[in-house]
Amino acid sequence: MPHYKYQGAQVSCVFKYVLFVFNIIFWLAGAGLLAITFWAWNEKGVLNIQSITDLNGFDPVWVVLVVGLLTFILGFTGCIGALRENICLLKSFSLIIGTIFTVELAAGILAFVFQDWVKQKVQNSIQENIGAYRNDIDLQNLIDAVQKYMQCCGAADPNDWNNNIYFNCSVENTSRERCGVPFSCCLPDPAQNVVNTQCGYDIRSKSKLEDSQKIFIKGCVQAFEDWLPRNIYLVAGTFLVIAFLQMFSIYLARSLISDIKAIKAGWRY
């Protein structure tokens, strides 16, 4: 019977269990996001492929699904790879994170170089989704949250709400919301404890001066351009932390792979 002799190489327990704990959190978070995705679609009564693809506009649940699926896969490969000391899974983990980092870097550079193109695409996307504002409750909540936080209305200006069949100013529109805007466009009133969801009714049928006293008149694209320089350190810090965590994860995985290979090379008859 052959006898093996161990030459002294060992897997770093610190690297192994730091990577394990780090990724089991990601694994559970991914599973939670996937559960939220299916719960949200079930609440909207569209828990089948045909109904999901028939939804108009951008469905924010898709973002949760993609992030959840990616997080789940990353957590699985990193967690099991570290626990079982599986080189294949650890290499897959490193490759996925490296690919994500490369895509993020490329997207950032391209967005900076082609700023005008990106701005126009974002503006067009917002205008298209304004048209589906009443069709999807998640999209509606997202638009309202952005308009309230950024203190803006529409993509370029409040008149973008003409793209919505309920808010446009055409004579054919019999909606009570005709020529209005959602409540999230309204200037906050400190005297009101209850949100007035009808504050934007008929507002665009009045003069622009009256509009500016009751609703935000700046478009959300311009509002974001104004917000970014004021929060550049926050944005840069967030991206640096994300990049550091990605590089640190790759370092842990590559270190474990090196240790495992050293152990395999250290066994001999």
Side-chain angles (χ1 to χ4, degrees):
M1 183 176 180
H3 296 279
Y4 292 90
K5 183 180 179 182
Y6 186 59
Q7 298 293 338
Q10 295 183 14
V11 171
S12 171
C13 289
V14 174
F15 286 176
K16 176 178 179 177
Y17 288 107
V18 166
L19 189 63
F20 171 75
V21 171
F22 184 70
N23 281 282
I24 201 168
I25 294 172
F26 266 76
W27 196 1
L28 294 174
L33 290 173
L34 291 175
I36 290 172
T37 297
F38 294 111
W39 171 81
W41 276 335
N42 183 63
E43 287 294 300
K44 290 192 286 189
V46 294
L47 200 53
N48 62 75
I49 297 300
Q50 182 62 41
S51 297
I52 291 171
T53 54
D54 284 344
L55 287 173
N56 295 319
F58 168 72
D59 186 355
V61 178
W62 280 108
V63 175
V64 181
L65 174 63
V66 172
V67 173
L69 189 60
L70 195 57
T71 304
F72 185 84
I73 293 172
L74 270 175
F76 173 80
T77 55
C79 180
I80 303 301
L83 188 65
R84 302 296 298 171
E85 299 177 8
N86 186 296
I87 291 179
C88 181
L89 287 177
L90 289 172
K91 284 184 176 181
S92 299
F93 174 79
S94 300
L95 179 62
I96 294 171
I97 292 187
T99 303
I100 292 173
F101 178 78
T102 304
V103 170
E104 289 171 348
L105 187 62
I109 294 172
L110 291 174
F112 179 78
V113 173
F114 301 104
Q115 292 182 43
D116 293 336
W117 181 84
V118 172
K119 178 180 177 180
Q120 189 59 50
K121 286 295 183 181
V122 170
Q123 185 165 305
N124 291 343
S125 177
I126 295 174
Q127 289 171 342
E128 289 174 5
N129 284 289
I130 280 175
Y133 176 77
R134 291 297 190 202
N135 300 340
D136 183 354
I137 187 62
D138 292 323
L139 176 61
Q140 180 177 314
N141 290 336
L142 176 63
I143 292 175
D144 285 335
V146 170
Q147 290 190 146
K148 283 193 289 186
Y149 177 75
M150 300 300 295
Q151 297 188 341
C152 58
C153 190
D157 56 53
N159 287 323
D160 286 331
W161 284 96
N162 277 326
N163 295 326
N164 188 279
I165 60 173
Y166 300 102
F167 293 98
N168 71 61
C169 294
S170 64
V171 293
E172 294 84 7
N173 184 10
T174 58
S175 169
R176 180 62 189 87
E177 295 175 310
R178 177 182 178 275
C179 231
V181 293
F183 74 94
S184 54
C185 285
C186 297
L187 293 170
D189 186 352
Q192 289 184 339
N193 295 323
V194 179
V195 176
N196 179 11
T197 57
Q198 300 181 0
C199 60
Y201 283 13
D202 304 316
I203 195 71
R204 288 188 297 113
S205 62
K206 302 173 183 177
S207 67
K208 190 171 183 179
L209 178 61
E210 288 182 274
D211 284 0
S212 64
Q213 295 172 345
K214 295 183 178 180
I215 64 171
F216 304 117
I217 59 173
K218 183 185 293 185
C220 290
V221 174
Q222 184 60 51
F224 178 75
E225 288 183 312
D226 295 340
W227 175 89
L228 191 56
R230 297 195 304 268
N231 297 272
I232 189 65
Y233 293 114
L234 174 63
V235 174
T238 301
F239 279 108
L240 285 174
V241 169
I242 292 173
F244 170 78
L245 290 175
Q246 290 172 331
M247 294 298 99
F248 183 61
S249 298
I250 292 175
Y251 169 73
L252 290 177
R254 300 306 302 181
S255 297
L256 274 180
I257 291 171
S258 297
D259 288 349
I260 295 167
K261 286 182 176 179
I263 289 175
K264 289 184 176 181
W267 289 96
R268 63 181 178 83
Y269 289 101

